[in-house]
Amino acid sequence: MDLKLFGEVFVTLLVITDPPGMVPIFLALTGPLAARERNRAAWQAVALALGVIVVFAVAGRTLLDYLHVDLPALQAAGGLLLVLVALELLTGKADDPNQQTTSNIALVPLGTPLLAGPGAIVATMLFVQQAEGWADYLSIAAAIVAVMVAVWLVLRFSGGIVKVLRPGGIEVLTRIAGLLLAAIAVQLIADAVAAFVTGYLNPA
């Protein structure tokens, strides 16, 4: 196994997924849930993110080409999804546990597009395209799994923060997380638009 490549992939994906930055969003979305459901949401989100990244690593370019979808379009779609979630957080609709289930939260937006978002997908696809043998593929796979384990550990043990913040603190955290999500969504859409414009002005 190529340890240098392992380190590059691990650091790159760790920075993109940003486990510490995910904590306030995760707690805002799962705050009303019981500890057991919150833990289940953590591993479901990580499992989905791992599955999505692996699928795109193996067949991402083929899949996008078949659907005639460019990466900026995928990025814009992720941004729109985050806008919807951000609005729910900012308006308080996400606070009602009857309006959400653990699996829904784990799938969208935690699993995708937050963890397995355009950045992680594109980075993984580029690393796979540059790989030159089974040793490189093994290094990339090991790094992806290591990152997902790190993310799961951070989310799994973030539940202790809920006891400190209490309901009032969770409500404030929810609004802040909504604002952060809205900013991330706008940035994703802006980058996608810029990529589209650049592509049309400078066609390959």
Side-chain angles (χ1 to χ4, degrees):
M1 189 171 70
D2 188 340
L3 293 180
K4 180 181 179 182
L5 179 59
F6 172 88
E8 290 177 357
V9 178
F10 179 81
V11 172
T12 300
L13 291 181
L14 195 66
V15 170
I16 292 174
T17 54
D18 187 20
M22 280 289 298
V23 170
I25 298 171
F26 176 75
L27 292 180
L29 291 169
T30 61
L33 300 177
R36 184 175 180 180
E37 292 183 337
R38 189 183 307 115
N39 295 337
R40 186 171 66 177
W43 75 256
Q44 284 180 337
V46 170
L48 175 68
L50 178 61
V52 170
I53 290 176
V54 169
V55 167
F56 275 93
V58 174
R61 176 52 62 187
T62 302
L63 180 62
L64 293 179
D65 288 344
Y66 176 77
L67 297 174
H68 304 290
V69 174
D70 293 327
L71 286 173
L74 189 66
Q75 190 169 355
L80 291 175
L81 275 174
L82 290 185
V83 166
L84 296 176
V85 177
L87 289 176
E88 288 189 356
L89 291 176
L90 289 171
T91 57
K93 292 182 179 179
D95 294 340
D96 185 0
N98 296 322
Q99 296 286 79
Q100 54 191 359
T101 63
T102 306
S103 58
N104 287 342
I105 294 170
L107 299 180
V108 179
L110 290 177
T112 180
L114 285 176
L115 290 178
I121 290 172
V122 172
T124 304
M125 288 172 61
L126 290 176
F127 279 120
V128 170
Q129 289 176 4
Q130 296 169 3
E132 297 180 350
W134 285 107
D136 288 351
Y137 291 130
L138 179 61
S139 301
I140 294 171
I144 293 173
V145 172
V147 169
M148 290 297 108
V149 169
V151 172
W152 176 79
L153 288 173
V154 171
L155 297 183
R156 170 65 177 79
F157 294 103
S158 63
I161 302 176
V162 175
K163 299 178 182 178
V164 177
L165 293 178
R166 301 190 181 279
I170 289 294
E171 185 175 351
V172 173
L173 189 64
T174 298
R175 302 298 180 264
I176 295 174
L179 185 61
L180 292 174
L181 267 185
I184 294 172
V186 171
Q187 187 64 56
L188 282 174
I189 295 173
D191 290 345
V193 172
F196 273 123
V197 172
T198 302
Y200 281 118
L201 293 179
N202 302 301

